[in-house]
Amino acid sequence: MTAVSYVMGNEPDKSALLVSKETDHPTAGQVLSDGIAVTASPGIIGYLNVMFSSTVSGVLTCTRGSRTEKLNGGTAIDAGVAFAETIECIGGETINFTFSADGGTYKLRVGSVIQR
């Protein structure tokens, strides 16, 4: 897979849909989509809006290099529930998402947040 490039600068960012995927689940623990490779000017932090839903329950995880975070406080996201969260990102990170269950289908949308 090839990571999607997300470049943050010193100017206000434009809103962009970086990931839009709706498909069958891969095997549990496998990445859900191409990663998001973040580049930024020094000292710049950005934010991404994440929306996820699945036809099966499980824990959604965000990985950035060697750092892994369980979203939703590590609590399983119930089947049929739309989960939304805003996460931070900095230059040099490649962000990936995994899910702890397989079978069924999922929808993942990740968009940049406009910075003003």
Side-chain angles (χ1 to χ4, degrees), residues 9-20:
N10 291 319
E11 297 299 317
D13 296 319
K14 295 177 182 170
S15 178
L17 182 61
L18 303 171
V19 174
S20 180

Side-chain angles (χ1 to χ4, degrees), residues 2 6 8 11 15 19 23 26 28 33 35 52 62 69-70 77 81-83 85 88 92 99:
T2 304
Y6 174 44
M8 298 182 297
E11 297 299 317
S15 178
V19 174
T23 190
S33 69
F52 177 83
C62 174
E69 302 167 328
K70 292 180 180 178
I77 299 167
V81 171
F83 169 79
E85 187 165 319
E88 86 285 346
F99 195 60

Side-chain angles (χ1 to χ4, degrees), residues 23-99:
T23 190
D24 293 337
H25 274 289
T27 303
Q30 299 297 309
V31 293
L32 299 177
S33 69
D34 294 343
I36 302 167
V38 181
T39 12
S41 301
I44 300 291
I45 187 170
Y47 298 92
L48 299 175
N49 285 330
V50 178
M51 192 293 300
F52 177 83
S53 65
S54 174
T55 58
V56 294
S57 297
V59 176
L60 182 64
T61 302
C62 174
T63 302
R64 316 147 186 268
S66 62
R67 186 175 67 169
T68 299
E69 302 167 328
K70 292 180 180 178
L71 302 181
N72 197 32
T75 302
I77 299 167
D78 291 335
V81 171
F83 169 79
E85 187 165 319
T86 300
I87 62 171
E88 86 285 346
C89 59
I90 58 172
E93 294 182 326
T94 297
I95 300 170
N96 284 295
F97 297 93
T98 57
F99 195 60

